[in-house]
Amino acid sequence: YMAQAKHVGKVVLSLPEADVTPEPVPRNSVPVSADATYVLTGGFGGFGLAVMDWLVEHGARNLIVVSRSGPSSNAARAAVERLRSQGITVADLAADVADEQQLLSALRSVTATLPPIRGVMHMAMVMDNTTISGMTPERMRKVMTPKIQGAWNLHSFTKNMDLDFFVLFSSITSFLGVPGQSNYVAANAFLDSLAVYRRTCGLPALAISWGAVGDAGYVFENPDVLQKLSQSGVKPQPIRTLLRTMEEMLRRDAVHAGAGLVEWAKVSTRCHILTLPRFSHLIAAASQEPGGASDTGIVERVLTAAPEQRQQVLQSYVREELAKVLGASSSSLDFEQPMVSLGMDSLMAVALVNRIRTELGVEVSPNKFMEGISSAGMAAHVIEKLELSTNA
């Protein structure tokens, strides 16, 4: 209201009650109970073992862990023994989560003696990387079936249960894309959509698009994969950090969210997200961080354009940046009007000055915006300063 200069004089907020006592918004607790059972698929991998510990730390006492081979590794067997020694019930079931009858038979064999199931963690995964030209139906099924069919089987089995959460372990690749992993990307995209579908059915669901895990799991066990991810801008994070993120997502009742440490400026140079408005604010923010890559693209476009076209190129840039600062669509603004007439205030002027300084390396006084200048006039002013600094 104030930013659009619709007020006269001061703005006063009056409270109708004589005594108002502010109280903090209650913080939702993680929905884990000792009087419930939790199902984990793929739970004997490095990430899965950490999730088991996380559940126990938050009060879980009954776990059902489903995997094709059971606790086959030394680490998995040691984890199961340790939890059982603490009085935790761990039912390790050797079953294929993608085989509906096998899964249901295995679950029904133990659920009769356990408390009701109140949560699901679907972590099953298989990797088989190859290029599109080398992809076969068999390789697609190998990777997609555990995630897709397994998730659907769990959905079907629990849809009439009173669950507190249904967490699907997806991957950051589902929205960044990774060469050689089309089968894996497609499988994770299904999980993301299933979470949304379950919510439309009134069922709990959370799909987490995980980034790189730095101290356990598939990426940790495959240094070449870890190196490729790091080079592309996806940095590894400790499991404990990622689990705290999951905890916050459950508290916020999120449906689908990413969790990872991403260098957006670097990622934008290696995949298609540079052209997607959905991620433009992340890339712009990254360019303003210390050590971030600045947007030299606009500078090059201006200086390499013909002299008669430079004004138009930079004017388009100024208009887009102005729209971002105003929080409006560029198509809804009349750029022939002075910027102050569009709702520009002094704080917005400072924000736009910072953008121009960071992305163009040009200093502009905030007062310039408040003098009634239009976007065309600002573009001409910036071009003049940009050319002078470049020639100098």
Side-chain angles (χ1 to χ4, degrees):
Y1 181 74
M2 294 181 66
Q4 296 176 8
K6 293 182 178 180
H7 65 294
V8 176
K10 303 297 181 182
V11 177
V12 178
L13 301 180
S14 59
L15 302 175
E17 301 294 335
D19 297 316
V20 177
T21 303
E23 296 181 357
V25 176
R27 184 178 178 86
N28 294 332
S29 60
V30 177
V32 178
S33 171
D35 300 322
T37 298
Y38 300 96
V39 177
L40 299 85
T41 65
F44 290 128
F47 206 168
L49 296 177
V51 171
M52 290 170 61
D53 285 336
W54 179 87
L55 284 167
V56 171
E57 288 171 8
H58 284 79
R61 306 290 295 176
N62 303 281
L63 306 177
I64 298 176
V65 187
V66 183
S67 65
R68 286 179 297 178
S69 57
S72 56
S73 69
N74 292 333
R77 287 190 292 270
V80 170
E81 291 176 6
R82 172 172 52 81
L83 291 176
R84 286 174 175 167
S85 68
Q86 298 172 13
I88 308 300
T89 299
V90 181
D92 55 290
L93 305 181
D96 184 354
V97 69
D99 186 319
E100 184 177 18
Q101 293 305 316
Q102 191 178 131
L103 174 66
L104 296 185
S105 177
L107 288 173
R108 287 168 179 162
S109 69
V110 295
T111 51
T113 59
L114 293 172
I117 295 173
R118 299 298 298 271
V120 172
M121 295 276 187
H122 182 42
M123 299 175 283
M125 62 169 282
V126 173
M127 302 293 292
D128 187 7
N129 300 341
T130 187
T131 60
I132 288 289
S133 60
M135 192 64 67
T136 63
E138 291 74 21
R139 300 182 83 165
M140 291 292 287
R141 281 192 292 268
K142 177 181 178 182
V143 172
M144 297 176 70
T145 300
K147 279 185 174 285
I148 294 177
Q149 190 61 54
W152 189 257
N153 290 342
L154 290 167
H155 161 71
S156 301
F157 178 70
T158 63
K159 63 183 179 182
N160 295 320
M161 297 180 181
D162 185 18
L163 298 186
D164 292 318
F165 58 79
F166 188 96
V167 181
L168 300 160
F169 277 41
S170 180
S171 167
I172 199 171
T173 61
S174 66
F175 55 85
L176 291 184
V178 173
Q181 293 188 349
S182 57
N183 47 8
Y184 184 64
V185 171
N188 287 303
F190 175 86
L191 298 185
D192 303 340
S193 298
L194 178 58
V196 176
Y197 170 73
R198 282 181 56 90
R199 284 300 183 96
T200 64
C201 297
L203 301 171
L206 166 62
I208 307 179
S209 296
W210 294 112
V213 184
D215 50 358
Y218 175 81
V219 173
F220 174 73
E221 295 166 0
N222 293 269
D224 55 327
V225 175
L226 180 60
Q227 183 179 9
K228 289 179 181 178
L229 285 171
S230 297
Q231 290 173 347
S232 66
V234 180
K235 296 295 186 181
Q237 284 187 290
I239 282 182
R240 303 303 296 183
T241 299
L242 295 172
L243 291 178
R244 284 196 296 271
T245 303
M246 180 177 71
E247 187 174 323
E248 188 61 28
M249 290 180 189
L250 288 169
R251 284 197 174 106
R252 292 171 179 260
D253 197 27
V255 181
H256 177 212
L261 181 59
V262 179
E263 293 181 304
W264 292 104
K266 183 180 290 187
V267 168
S268 69
T269 66
R270 293 175 174 264
C271 67
H272 66 287
I273 66 167
L274 186 62
T275 62
L276 300 179
R278 178 181 181 186
F279 296 101
S280 60
H281 67 291
L282 294 171
I283 298 168
S287 69
Q288 297 177 26
E289 295 174 355
S294 62
D295 183 10
T296 57
I298 181 60
V299 177
E300 293 175 356
R301 290 200 300 273
V302 171
L303 296 181
T304 57
E308 65 273 14
Q309 295 177 337
R310 291 179 179 177
Q311 173 80 11
Q312 182 178 357
V313 172
L314 194 52
Q315 190 168 328
S316 296
Y317 165 80
V318 172
R319 288 176 174 178
E320 290 298 324
E321 295 303 314
L322 175 60
K324 293 177 186 176
V325 169
L326 293 175
S329 168
S330 58
S331 61
S332 67
L333 299 175
D334 182 0
F335 291 102
E336 299 303 319
Q337 296 292 321
M339 293 187 183
V340 289
S341 299
L342 299 176
M344 169 76 74
D345 62 18
S346 58
L347 293 177
M348 294 178 181
V350 171
L352 195 48
V353 163
N354 290 337
R355 289 177 185 267
I356 293 174
R357 180 192 301 118
T358 300
E359 299 176 2
L360 293 167
V362 172
E363 289 287 345
V364 177
S365 170
N367 294 332
K368 199 73 178 177
F369 293 88
M370 311 308 295
E371 293 173 357
I373 194 170
S374 67
S375 61
M378 178 55 63
H381 178 69
V382 172
I383 282 179
E384 180 181 356
K385 301 201 72 171
L386 181 60
E387 290 177 336
L388 286 173
S389 65
T390 304
N391 292 334

